[in-house]
């Protein structure tokens, strides 16, 4: 069946190429189309749809905003987005954990790059990440998106949009240094190739390294992304792209007990620089290799076809000694264990789309018909062991293992095929969105030593319906209903795959966009999810605990108040609880989710006078009411963080294209716990971070 799926889904490629090659420019209709480049899409609908006509909450983070805030991870890029908790694991930068509307189950698997899922394995350490330097924008779509993407968390998706080749020459160089020995050099070049200017390139790269706030742990990353866009004809465009990333050092990722981190332990507090591992047994190495293309053909000004394809290959090595719980009721020493991993992952994704804009009397339709395919295979080997305990207040390192245990060797396979149809209907001031999708999913987990296999084969229908009314003054109320389908490779204590999680959402709200300089939104939502997969401790197996309900409100404003002053503000209230639970936690708040989040960012650019060229930005983030454990016996103390930036455009002094920028994160150096997985495992937040950068744009 797999080969049949591949042939079916790859067939549009050969068809489109035949169309392109058999239709020279001279044979085009007399009403010539403009030279085509890859169509801009919106993650919520997969077609170009205005913000105000989308019946769902969507936030966009621009390249300019990321540059001004000096972000180095996707997590930090979303710090000022309502409905997103970006601090789930505090100061750790190993993975881009994002909690959307309280759901942490899909934080690693709900990331998309250029329209295709980033095919990591959430049931392993093979989770991919993309450096923000390579991104043109980030779209955060809150609420279920299974109707277009198949398996996805009901909390939403994070869509990363790469910098694309441009036919105008240009580029940028950036050099950055900071505390904790941060240093990076990056480049971004684009422009046309050849006299006919039908081919454009983009070459983007970065090299970065830093210490961390946790002992000997370090971060190091090298990445490069070459891309070519070829306008084969006036109607056909092909973009070929690659992304290669090597991380010899993946930083720190561990936690400490609530008692000692939040409350005193024997009258003492654990330092937020505490390292619980061993330097000789500490490593996280990840290599990502991605190759793909986007092929687009316009049959006329109303009908177009696209095919997106990407192949991923990655290798991950993990060695980690970690503390988990106190060694005895009165001891100052943490019990320590060893976890290791050797993983090799391969994945293929392809998405075929046919878009048609039709007029039927008084009604206009934008139809999207699609068929996609995902395949992933991950070979893993997980050794484990035990280490001597470590005094959390007076640590002495250099221990050797007490025991090493033979690795668990598994093969994780996933295959998904989906077909979907979406119709966006415009009737006078009404906008109606209808969509449906059918998925076939096969998951196999095989023990490579015993040969035992746990398999799941399932089919699922996902749907969405939404309606928006556009008032002439820019106000647009909306209501929508959507469903989510989340099969996973998580297994229970018996090694059996868990049943897929299923969710649904009702959302209503209002958007206001009086002009292209102002955008406001307010949303009320209710989400329920069944067969919720969770595990109490890092070493525990997963299990389905029942049903989760999430409900709340989100407010967002982005406005250019004057030519000099812009403001971004957000507030979210998220009440996520275990509606039904087999572990005694029914009615309790879920972990990793603040009930209240407030974000405010203001930016002022001096327009004239002797300070012309100076810009300053200040941001405040507040997080409150975070449950520290599933039993709700404790909460994480509320905390407020301040960020700031100061920049200067040296073109005012005759140095065209040169900009310097100072960024400070957690400017007040707040020491805090960001969240907890349990009372034995809490994550310290990042200390003050200071970076200085020089940009040269040409």
């Amino acid at each position: 069946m797999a080969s049949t799926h591949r042939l079916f889904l790859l067939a549009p490629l050969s068809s489109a190429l035949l169309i392109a090659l058999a239709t020279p420019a001279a044979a085009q209709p007399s009403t010539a189309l403009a030279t085509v480049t890859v169509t801009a899409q919106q993650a919520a609908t997969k077609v170009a749809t205005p913000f105000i006509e989308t019946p769902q909450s969507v936030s966009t983070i621009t390249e300019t905003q990321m540059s001004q805030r000096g972000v180095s991870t996707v997590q930090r890029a979303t710090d000022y987005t309502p409905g997103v908790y970006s601090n789930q694991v505090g100061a750790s930068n190993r993975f881009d954990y994002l909690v959307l509307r309280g759901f942490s189950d899909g934080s690693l698997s709900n990331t998309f790059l250029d329209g295709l899922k980033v095919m990591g394995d959430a049931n392993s350490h093979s989770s991919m990440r993309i450096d923000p330097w390579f991104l043109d924008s980030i779209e955060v779509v809150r609420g279920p998106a299974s109707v277009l993407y198949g398996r996805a968390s009901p909390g939403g998706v994070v869509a990363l949009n790469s910098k694309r080749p441009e036919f105008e020459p240009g580029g940028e160089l950036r050099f950055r240094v900071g505390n904790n020995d941060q240093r990076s050099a990056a480049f971004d070049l684009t422009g046309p190739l050849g006299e006919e200017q039908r081919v454009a390139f983009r070459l983007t790269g970065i090299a970065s390294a830093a210490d961390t706030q946790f002992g000997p742990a370090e971060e190091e990353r090298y990445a490069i992304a070459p891309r070519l866009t070829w306008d084969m004809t006036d109607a056909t465009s092909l973009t070929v792209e690659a992304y290669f990333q090597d991380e010899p050092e993946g930083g720190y990722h561990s936690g400490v007990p609530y008692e000692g981190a939040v409350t005193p332990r024997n009258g003492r507090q654990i330092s937020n620089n505490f390292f619980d591992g061993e330097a000789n047994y500490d490593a996280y190495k990840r290599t990502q290799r991605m190759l793909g293309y986007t092929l687009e053909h316009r049959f006329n000004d109303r009908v177009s076809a696209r095919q997106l394809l990407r192949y991923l290959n990655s290798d991950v090595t993990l060695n980690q000694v970690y503390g988990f719980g106190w060694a005895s009721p009165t001891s100052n020493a943490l019990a320590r264990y060893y976890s290791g991993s050797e993983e090799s992952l391969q994945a293929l994704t392809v998405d075929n789309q046919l878009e048609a804009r039709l007029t039927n009397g008084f009604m206009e339709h934008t139809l999207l018909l699609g068929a996609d395919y995902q395949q992933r295979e991950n070979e893993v080997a997980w050794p484990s062991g035990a280490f001597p305990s470590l005094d959390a207040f007076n640590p002495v390192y250099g221990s050797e293992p007490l025991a090493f245990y033979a690795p668990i060797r598994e093969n994780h396979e996933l295959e998904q095929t989906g077909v979907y149809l979406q119709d966006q209907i415009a009737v006078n001031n009404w906008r109606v969105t209808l969509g449906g999708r059918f998925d076939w999913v096969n998951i196999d987990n095989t023990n490579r030593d015993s040969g035992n296999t746990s398999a799941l084969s399932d089919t699922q229908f996902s749907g969405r319906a939404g309606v928006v009314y556009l008032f002439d003054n820019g106000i647009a109320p909306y209501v929508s209903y959507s469903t989510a389908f989340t099969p996973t490779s998580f297994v229970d204590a018996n090694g059996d795959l868990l049943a897929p999680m299923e969710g649904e959402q009702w959302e209503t709200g209002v958007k206001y966009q009086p002009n292209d300089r102002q955008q406001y939104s307010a949303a009320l939502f209710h989400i329920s999810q069944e067969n919720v997969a969770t595990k109490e401790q890092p070493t525990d197996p997963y299990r389905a605990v029942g049903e989760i309900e999430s409900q709340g409100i989100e407010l967002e404003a982005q406005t250019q108040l004057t030519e000099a002053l812009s403001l971004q503000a957000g507030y979210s209230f998220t009440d996520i609880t275990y509606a039904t639970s087999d572990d005694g936690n029914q009615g309790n708040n879920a972990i990793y989710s603040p009930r209240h989040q407030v974000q405010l960012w203001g930016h002022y650019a001096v327009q004239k006078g002797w300070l012309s060229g100076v810009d300053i930005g200040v941001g405040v983030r507040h997080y409150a009411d975070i449950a520290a454990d599933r039993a709700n016996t404790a909460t994480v103390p509320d905390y407020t963080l301040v960020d700031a930036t100061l920049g200067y455009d040296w073109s005012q002094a005759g140095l065209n294209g040169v900009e310097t920028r100072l960024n400070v994160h957690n400017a007040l150096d707040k020491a805090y716990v960001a969240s907890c997985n349990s009372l034995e495992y809490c994550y310290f937040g990042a200390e003050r971070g200071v970076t200085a950068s020089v940009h040269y744009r040409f």
Side-chain angles (χ1 to χ4, degrees):
M1 183 175 180
S3 60
T4 303
H5 285 162
R6 291 191 191 98
L7 288 172
F8 166 67
L9 291 162
L10 291 171
L13 172 60
S14 57
S15 301
L17 282 171
L18 287 172
I19 292 169
L21 298 174
T23 314
Q28 298 297 316
S30 57
T31 303
L33 301 172
T35 300
V36 67
T37 54
V38 176
T39 303
Q41 300 183 53
Q42 274 69 48
T45 59
K46 284 190 178 181
V47 299
T49 306
F51 157 82
I52 203 166
E53 297 184 15
T54 305
Q56 196 167 357
S57 295
V58 181
S59 298
T60 299
I61 304 145
T62 66
E63 180 189 3
T64 298
Q65 290 172 326
M66 289 186 281
S67 178
Q68 289 176 349
R69 295 170 190 168
V71 303
S72 57
T73 68
V74 170
Q75 286 185 117
R76 300 285 70 80
T78 63
D79 279 342
Y80 289 87
T81 304
V84 180
Y85 184 49
S86 58
N87 226 11
Q88 178 183 345
V89 288
S92 174
N93 292 320
R94 183 174 295 174
F95 309 116
D96 283 320
Y97 286 92
L98 297 172
V99 180
L100 306 177
R101 289 186 169 173
F103 289 89
S104 58
D105 58 280
S107 63
L108 295 177
S109 61
N110 265 24
T111 301
F112 292 76
L113 176 64
D114 299 327
L116 295 174
K117 182 183 282 289
V118 179
M119 295 290 290
D121 181 4
N123 190 29
S124 76
H125 301 98
S126 294
S127 293
M128 306 303 109
R129 64 180 304 186
I130 307 296
D131 195 290
W133 174 251
F134 297 85
L135 302 179
D136 180 70
S137 66
I138 300 173
E139 294 175 74
V140 179
V141 181
R142 296 183 290 280
S146 289
V147 70
L148 294 179
Y149 297 103
R151 56 189 183 93
S153 168
V157 300
V158 180
L160 313 179
N161 302 309
S162 298
K163 297 174 179 177
R164 294 288 184 174
E166 299 178 2
F167 285 88
E168 292 292 329
E172 180 179 358
L173 302 176
R174 189 194 73 190
F175 302 93
R176 177 182 288 173
V177 296
N179 65 331
N180 284 325
D181 201 21
Q182 297 179 73
R183 65 273 191 198
S184 72
F187 64 88
D188 180 27
L189 308 172
T190 190
L193 295 174
E195 295 181 0
E196 296 183 359
Q197 295 202 350
R198 302 201 67 90
V199 178
F201 80 97
R202 193 144 196 168
L203 184 63
T204 311
I206 190 171
S208 64
D211 296 337
T212 72
Q213 69 186 65
F214 304 104
E218 298 179 348
E219 299 173 359
E220 189 175 354
R221 183 184 311 142
Y222 306 92
I224 190 167
R227 291 182 175 84
L228 283 177
T229 291
W230 175 26
D231 283 345
M232 303 163 67
T233 72
D234 287 347
T236 306
S237 177
L238 174 67
T239 295
V240 182
E241 53 199 4
Y243 184 85
F244 305 107
Q245 182 165 300
D246 180 45
E247 294 172 270
E249 300 283 352
Y252 178 82
H253 187 84
S254 191
V256 295
Y258 186 93
E259 185 184 10
V262 178
T263 61
R265 170 75 172 184
N266 296 329
R268 305 179 71 177
Q269 301 278 153
I270 300 174
S271 166
N272 68 342
N273 304 120
F274 172 67
F275 176 68
D276 60 351
E278 293 287 345
N280 293 334
Y281 297 89
D282 187 77
Y284 182 84
K285 302 177 182 179
R286 172 175 48 201
T287 303
Q288 302 169 202
R289 313 167 191 91
M290 292 188 286
L291 301 169
Y293 65 78
T294 300
L295 176 67
E296 180 166 350
H297 179 78
R298 289 195 295 178
F299 298 95
N300 51 51
D301 60 355
R302 289 185 170 270
V303 182
S304 61
R306 292 181 291 274
Q307 182 176 73
L308 297 78
L309 181 145
R310 183 161 62 242
Y311 169 77
L312 165 67
N313 175 260
S314 75
D315 297 296
V316 167
T317 298
L318 168 72
N319 286 291
Q320 182 172 353
V321 177
Y322 63 96
F324 188 78
W326 297 105
S328 73
T330 59
S331 172
N332 287 337
L334 292 172
R336 292 199 299 172
Y337 306 89
Y338 167 80
S339 178
S341 186
E342 289 287 344
E343 303 180 6
S344 179
L345 181 146
Q346 297 185 73
L348 175 72
T349 56
V350 59
D351 188 9
N352 304 292
Q353 304 169 15
L354 180 64
E355 180 183 344
R357 299 181 182 272
L358 309 174
T359 300
N360 181 18
F362 66 94
M363 189 179 298
E364 295 182 359
H365 298 263
T366 300
L367 291 169
L368 179 67
L369 175 65
D372 60 26
Y373 175 77
Q374 303 174 12
Q375 183 195 38
R376 185 199 66 220
E377 182 175 359
N378 191 21
E379 289 190 357
V380 305
W382 296 329
S384 58
F387 264 72
S389 59
L390 182 71
D391 192 308
F393 307 113
N394 295 293
V396 178
Y397 302 101
S399 297
E400 294 297 320
L402 298 173
F404 272 135
Y405 309 115
I408 297 171
R409 296 172 1 109
E410 294 182 342
N411 191 66
H412 302 169
E413 296 184 47
L414 178 145
E415 185 179 45
Q416 173 189 299
T417 303
V419 293
Y420 55 91
L421 176 65
Q422 176 180 266
D423 187 8
Q424 295 173 281
I425 306 168
V427 183
N428 296 323
N429 288 24
W430 293 94
R431 300 293 184 268
V432 179
T433 300
L434 302 172
R437 177 189 178 97
F438 204 80
D439 276 301
W440 297 263
V441 178
N442 295 290
I443 301 174
D444 293 278
N445 280 7
T446 303
N447 187 298
R448 290 189 284 146
D449 295 314
S450 68
N452 295 333
T453 297
S454 178
L456 173 69
S457 183
D458 203 356
T459 58
Q460 181 75 21
F461 176 82
S462 305
R464 174 171 66 181
V467 60
V468 182
Y469 185 81
L470 305 176
F471 287 97
D472 294 338
N473 59 1
I475 294 176
Y478 69 92
V479 62
S480 64
Y481 171 82
S482 52
T483 62
F485 172 54
T486 317
T488 73
S489 55
F490 300 144
V491 297
D492 60 19
N494 300 318
D496 297 324
L497 284 159
L498 298 181
M501 296 178 281
E502 300 179 15
E504 63 176 4
Q505 173 186 264
W506 285 96
E507 179 176 326
T508 186
V510 61
K511 299 181 179 182
Y512 178 49
Q513 190 173 17
N515 50 57
D516 59 4
R517 295 162 58 93
Q518 299 179 71
Q519 179 172 298
Y520 309 90
S521 64
L524 292 167
F525 64 89
H526 181 276
I527 307 173
S528 60
Q529 184 183 45
E530 299 176 345
N531 302 324
V532 176
T534 188
K535 62 178 183 178
E536 185 70 17
Q537 312 294 1
T539 55
D540 287 346
Y542 282 88
R543 56 199 178 98
V545 297
E547 180 180 352
I548 272 186
E549 289 189 353
S550 175
Q551 55 192 350
I553 183 172
E554 294 164 353
L555 307 175
E556 184 174 24
Q558 295 197 47
T559 178
Q560 190 73 36
L561 296 173
T562 68
E563 289 295 327
L565 179 63
S566 62
L567 183 68
Q568 181 180 353
Y571 168 77
S572 53
F573 167 77
T574 307
D575 179 31
I576 183 167
T577 59
Y578 302 105
T580 61
S581 178
D582 64 1
D583 57 4
N585 294 324
Q586 184 168 327
N588 291 351
N589 295 324
I591 59 173
Y592 295 144
S593 178
R595 285 172 64 85
H596 302 276
Q597 286 185 214
V598 181
Q599 297 110 334
L600 180 65
W601 178 271
H603 184 264
Y604 184 81
V606 180
Q607 301 294 301
K608 54 186 177 180
W610 66 275
L611 287 177
S612 179
V614 173
D615 70 272
I616 185 171
V618 178
V620 179
R621 298 176 278 141
H622 178 72
Y623 306 91
D625 295 348
I626 308 173
D629 63 336
R630 292 167 177 80
N632 287 184
T633 56
T635 59
V636 174
D638 302 350
Y639 59 94
T640 301
L641 305 175
V642 178
D643 308 312
T645 185
L646 176 66
Y648 182 68
D649 181 358
W650 287 88
S651 63
Q652 304 296 319
L655 296 175
N656 292 333
V658 178
E659 176 190 279
T660 53
R661 183 163 299 279
L662 179 70
N663 289 96
V664 185
H665 301 279
N666 188 10
L668 303 182
D669 203 18
K670 170 75 172 179
Y672 67 100
V673 169
S675 68
C676 300
N677 179 69
S678 67
L679 296 184
E680 287 78 30
Y681 221 70
C682 296
Y683 300 98
F684 281 121
E687 62 187 3
R688 179 191 290 128
V690 182
T691 60
S693 59
V694 178
H695 304 248
Y696 174 54
R697 300 179 178 94
F698 52 92

